[in-house]
Amino acid sequence: MSEQENVVELLRDIKGLLSHTKKVMNVDDLAIYTGLSKSKIYKLTQLKLIPTGRNPNIRQKFFDKETIDAWLMGEPNLSDEYLEQQFNKQLLKNKK
């Protein structure tokens, strides 16, 4: 590995560490922070199973880091089967 590649890798590591100091995160930040996929985050958001910001004037989803930390420690059921069941229930509810 060249010295330039080492520097680039080090800068990526630093950028990742700095992203964990943000108070407010977007979906990309949250995916990196939690290790959850973006699709799982969107499903959780759709089902209102993950705490999000409440600003109706902003379409993009934002997440408060402290609230997410507390939510993660609450041991929510994030299994794919559970999320699919909840998502399907919501779809059926919306069709009626």
Side-chain angles (χ1 to χ4, degrees):
M1 191 181 279
S2 73
E3 185 175 336
Q4 185 177 5
E5 289 171 329
N6 285 337
V7 170
V8 169
E9 186 64 30
L10 183 60
L11 288 173
R12 282 190 186 126
D13 291 343
I14 292 169
K15 182 179 178 183
L17 290 171
L18 288 175
S19 71
H20 296 316
T21 63
K22 294 172 104 177
K23 180 170 172 36
V24 177
M25 299 180 280
N26 61 24
V27 173
D28 291 329
D29 297 330
L30 187 62
I32 292 168
Y33 182 68
T34 63
L36 296 172
S37 67
K38 285 198 238 179
S39 64
K40 187 170 272 195
I41 291 169
Y42 285 120
K43 284 181 185 176
L44 290 167
T45 303
Q46 176 72 27
L47 297 170
K48 298 181 180 4
L49 294 175
I50 189 170
T52 62
R54 303 265 187 250
N55 188 337
N57 300 315
I58 300 175
R59 291 184 63 198
Q60 186 177 0
K61 298 296 179 195
F62 288 97
F63 307 88
D64 177 68
K65 183 180 179 296
E66 288 180 18
T67 306
I68 291 296
D69 287 341
W71 174 77
L72 287 170
M73 296 305 292
E75 299 181 22
N77 186 351
L78 299 178
S79 70
D80 288 334
E81 300 93 32
Y82 176 76
L83 292 177
E84 282 298 320
Q85 288 173 356
Q86 295 300 313
F87 194 70
N88 290 335
K89 281 183 191 176
Q90 187 70 29
L91 285 176
L92 289 172
K93 185 178 172 184
N94 290 341
K95 285 183 180 181
K96 293 179 181 180

